[in-house]
Amino acid sequence: MRRSLLARFLLARLGWAIPVILAILIVNFLIIHIVPGDPIQALIGDFPAPPGYADQIRHEFGLDQPVLTQLGLYLLNLAKGQLGFSFANRQPVLGLILQRAQFTLILMLPALALAASLGIVMALAAAPRAGSLYDSGLTALSLVGFSLPIFWLGQLLVIMFAIKLHLLPAQGMFSLRTRLTGWPYVLDVLWHLILPMFAVTIYYVAIVARVARASVLDALSQDFVLTAKAKGLSRRRVLWRHVLPNALIPVVTVIGYNFGYSLTGAILVETVFAWPGLGNLFITSIGNRDYPVLQGIFLLTAIAVVIANVATDLVYASLDPRVRSTGLRHA
Amino acid sequence: MHRTWRRFSSYRAGVLAAAYVLLLVLVALATPFLPGPDPRQISNEVMQAPSFAHLLGTDELGRDVLSGILHGVEVSLTVGFAAALAATVIGVVIGATAGYYGGALDLLVMRIAEVFQVVPSFILAAVIVALSGPGLTRVVTVIALLAWPQVARLMRGEVMRIKGLEFVDAVRCLGVREPVILATEVIPNALAPVLAAGTLIVAQAILLEAALSFLGLSSADLVSWGRMLNSGQRFLYNAWWLSVFPGTAIFLTVLAFNLLGDAIGAALNPRAEA
């Protein structure tokens, strides 16, 4: 019974996700045509391509045919994983992006985990003292987090901790002077990870803390908390065993639904720290006018965001039985 | 009106933010008459640390940073206000129509809005600007295209609530045609939350423009804060002032519009306690 409900829920969410992905593909198709001049430029980029390649692409994408045929061919090419070729990097766009995406995840996932735990702990500390100085401090902090240009925050961290204090490396993902392997290599990467990860974390903690505060406040006002207190449980036990599990559900959703937001944050931070992930690829591709790569990054990140949304819904549904029966988002 | 103002002024941060925004508007209006050197003026005094001659230092071409920041107000405010205004108008019209008439139109519009809200908007904006070339009008258009769904959703909800109220039925009984009812009775009563959302969009637009310029996606001859941070990035090791000051300008301005938006939202909401 339980399983079939969850399966039906998954189907409903896929029914939402597939049209959205289709719309994203169409947006990408439209972008090719907004370039002033020939759409072929958007498909190849400005990097010198071998002679004959333009004609091959023109044929593959049916650029001399009616728009609807072009759209069909475009979707067909995408379905085959044909996102174009990056002449600046001498490899197919899809492979290039997937390879760089790993490095972005190395930066993003620890930052997300840290931001989530930090945000929850801060909210647990602040919410029971609503209106106190500490509580308003948390609200102010999240407002500041929303208003900080994340790339500037990155620059400030570099100036402070790398350049003035010489504590941490300013750029890159590993030391260039030595060739490390095994554990020393891992430690070296972690060492380089600290500053950019910290930048993404601050950016993200702003959202988590705000939502977590609201959901802790909500959980605190529930009857079961009163019961737990009446049983004579210690304050700490009430918070950690009764309030926390209930407050976690909205936090899980806010993290999942903001996957795109944190991805954007990571991309901007990468450009400051020369972290070799998607952000770095993005900014060098802007410089090279390597358009297929830019479009590929948009396409794959947008699809990743949709998948993250569906995954979040599933996690939500498995945590909260009320959602499954309605099959509704935000239920 | 009086009560709204009293409620607004009880948010000290909001009043402070409003004063700061007013100051920025004055600076932007006075741009051609600002004292001090032209921010595009190249000089021999390159990479000077802050001093009495150059309060916030100079950059790699000897241009005055303070002057650049003051002239940059114009770009940030123009983009912020123009994009927010465009997004608000589009959002109000689309959201109101969808909410008032409902049906298939509503479904379609809300679906489109949902797609825009799911996609990572900054990446999409950067790709469009990178492909179509920089230019303020393009940047404003792209931001407006990405931001309107926020307004449309809000407007739709308000319109759906208001169209069921008695006074709307009363007007209908007078024989007023539907589009006129929507335009003269429903929309004006639904605008309050939109004003707050629009102010928050100004903040987002300024932040987005700064990020685009930081990536080099703006005209090189335009003096903008993001552009200054872009050159600051290359000289982090020897000229901290090239990134600290323009960044502070962006941060304070975005913060001010966020605070203002929150204060307006709270002041216009009659259900909130003062």
Side-chain angles (χ1 to χ4, degrees):
Chain A
M1 186 59 200
R2 196 190 130 96
R3 179 156 300 175
S4 79
L5 265 180
L6 208 56
R8 209 184 320 152
F9 180 77
L10 175 64
L11 264 177
R13 297 315 297 144
L14 286 180
W16 167 83
I18 290 166
V20 172
I21 290 182
L22 201 64
I24 289 168
L25 297 181
I26 292 174
V27 167
N28 224 21
F29 173 77
L30 292 176
I31 292 177
I32 298 175
H33 290 267
I34 58 161
V35 181
D38 199 342
I40 193 78
Q41 216 199 342
L43 289 166
I44 301 182
D46 258 2
F47 214 76
Y53 184 71
D55 286 331
Q56 184 197 329
I57 288 292
R58 211 182 288 277
H59 175 72
E60 259 176 44
F61 285 86
L63 290 184
D64 42 7
Q65 311 214 16
V67 177
L68 276 182
T69 322
Q70 285 189 34
L71 177 62
L73 282 171
Y74 181 75
L75 295 179
L76 196 70
N77 277 313
L78 288 184
K80 286 191 283 193
Q82 169 38 315
L83 289 186
F85 193 87
S86 164
F87 286 99
N89 295 284
R90 292 155 190 265
Q91 57 172 312
V93 171
L94 183 61
L96 180 65
I97 292 177
L98 292 180
Q99 182 195 337
R100 296 298 196 90
Q102 299 169 24
F103 300 124
T104 299
L105 289 179
I106 292 179
L107 167 61
M108 210 177 118
L109 295 181
L112 275 185
L114 191 63
S117 10
L118 216 66
I120 290 166
V121 170
M122 281 158 63
L124 278 179
R129 290 167 231 150
S132 72
L133 197 64
Y134 183 85
D135 183 49
S136 11
L138 183 76
T139 312
L141 192 77
S142 61
L143 195 66
V144 166
F146 274 119
S147 309
L148 267 180
I150 191 173
F151 43 96
W152 180 59
L153 174 64
Q155 290 184 336
L156 290 185
L157 291 175
V158 168
I159 292 172
M160 180 80 101
F161 293 99
I163 297 170
K164 298 288 175 207
L165 297 175
H166 299 289
L167 284 176
L168 291 158
Q171 294 219 306
M173 191 169 135
F174 34 75
S175 310
L176 296 170
R177 262 170 264 164
T178 48
R179 284 243 162 262
L180 299 168
T181 48
W183 280 108
Y185 173 75
V186 174
L187 286 178
D188 189 43
V189 170
L190 288 177
W191 186 237
H192 283 79
L193 181 65
I194 297 176
L195 274 190
M197 184 183 75
F198 191 56
V200 182
T201 305
I202 294 183
Y203 182 63
Y204 212 55
V205 101
I207 311 180
V208 176
R210 186 180 262 205
V211 173
R213 177 182 174 275
S215 68
V216 168
L217 270 181
D218 182 56
L220 277 174
S221 69
Q222 302 285 328
D223 286 343
F224 63 79
V225 172
L226 195 66
T227 312
K229 278 186 191 156
K231 280 199 298 189
L233 295 183
S234 70
R235 237 177 64 109
R236 177 176 299 189
R237 201 176 157 81
V238 172
L239 269 186
W240 288 93
R241 292 296 296 277
H242 297 266
V243 174
L244 180 64
N246 285 284
L248 273 182
I249 298 176
V251 173
V252 168
T253 47
V254 77
I255 290 172
Y257 288 152
N258 284 293
F259 185 79
Y261 184 74
S262 60
L263 196 63
T264 307
I267 280 179
L268 283 168
V269 165
E270 280 182 17
T271 62
V272 175
F273 290 91
W275 188 264
L278 286 179
N280 213 279
L281 181 64
F282 197 74
I283 198 167
T284 48
S285 300
I286 288 175
N288 290 331
R289 299 170 153 276
D290 200 350
Y291 299 142
V293 177
L294 294 181
Q295 287 186 292
I297 290 178
F298 166 65
L299 195 64
L300 291 180
T301 49
I303 291 176
V305 169
V306 175
I307 295 174
N309 267 271
V310 173
T312 310
D313 288 335
L314 285 182
V315 173
Y316 192 11
S318 56
L319 289 178
D320 189 339
R322 282 166 301 185
V323 184
R324 285 198 292 274
S325 52
T326 57
L328 282 176
R329 209 165 126 88
H330 308 301
Chain B
M1 191 63 207
H2 184 69
R3 201 178 316 148
T4 304
W5 170 247
R6 216 177 46 212
R7 225 180 290 137
F8 179 83
S9 51
S10 71
Y11 293 90
R12 245 178 308 165
V15 175
L16 215 62
Y20 177 70
V21 166
L22 196 67
L23 184 72
L24 288 183
V25 171
L26 290 178
V27 170
L29 290 177
T31 298
F33 315 106
L34 286 176
D38 185 302
R40 294 171 203 82
Q41 181 65 49
I42 296 173
S43 78
N44 291 329
E45 300 171 353
V46 295
M47 304 285 254
Q48 304 266 315
S51 66
F52 278 113
H54 299 283
L55 285 179
L56 304 183
T58 62
D59 71 1
E60 76 277 15
L61 296 175
R63 294 172 296 195
D64 187 66
V65 172
L66 175 60
S67 177
I69 288 179
L70 290 177
H71 284 253
V73 174
E74 198 184 7
V75 169
S76 281
L77 285 199
T78 309
V79 170
F81 283 133
L85 188 69
T88 308
V89 171
I90 301 174
V92 163
V93 171
I94 294 183
T97 318
Y100 195 74
Y101 293 103
L105 176 79
D106 183 35
L107 204 68
L108 181 73
V109 166
M110 284 304 113
R111 264 311 161 86
I112 294 176
E114 210 175 341
V115 171
F116 274 102
Q117 290 203 310
V118 169
V119 298
S121 45
F122 174 72
I123 300 177
L124 180 56
V127 172
I128 294 178
V129 175
L131 262 75
S132 61
L136 274 192
T137 330
R138 289 207 181 108
V139 170
V140 168
T141 315
V142 169
I143 298 177
L145 276 179
L146 292 169
W148 68 265
Q150 301 175 35
V151 177
R153 288 195 142 183
L154 207 63
M155 193 67 195
R156 171 179 176 265
E158 277 296 290
V159 166
M160 283 169 77
R161 183 179 65 81
I162 292 170
K163 76 172 177 186
L165 297 181
E166 268 177 16
F167 81 93
V168 177
D169 282 336
V171 176
R172 194 172 287 132
C173 290
L174 293 175
V176 181
R177 289 185 306 126
E178 295 293 325
V180 181
I181 299 181
L182 176 60
T184 60
E185 303 293 335
V186 179
I187 291 183
N189 280 297
L191 280 180
V194 166
L195 190 63
T199 312
L200 295 177
I201 293 178
V202 177
Q204 295 169 18
I206 291 175
L207 206 49
L208 217 147
E209 190 278 329
L212 289 176
S213 309
F214 170 70
L215 292 185
L217 293 169
S218 72
S219 323
D221 51 345
L222 208 63
V223 184
S224 80
W225 297 337
R227 196 29 92 162
M228 296 173 85
L229 285 184
N230 171 290
S231 40
Q233 173 71 24
R234 279 176 286 144
F235 302 103
L236 282 180
Y237 278 89
N238 16 34
W240 54 267
W241 55 92
L242 291 186
S243 41
V244 168
F245 298 126
T248 309
I250 301 175
F251 170 58
L252 289 180
T253 307
V254 174
L255 183 66
F257 278 103
N258 276 332
L259 283 170
L260 194 62
D262 284 350
I264 290 176
L268 288 178
N269 183 359
R271 283 175 291 267
E273 66 243 273

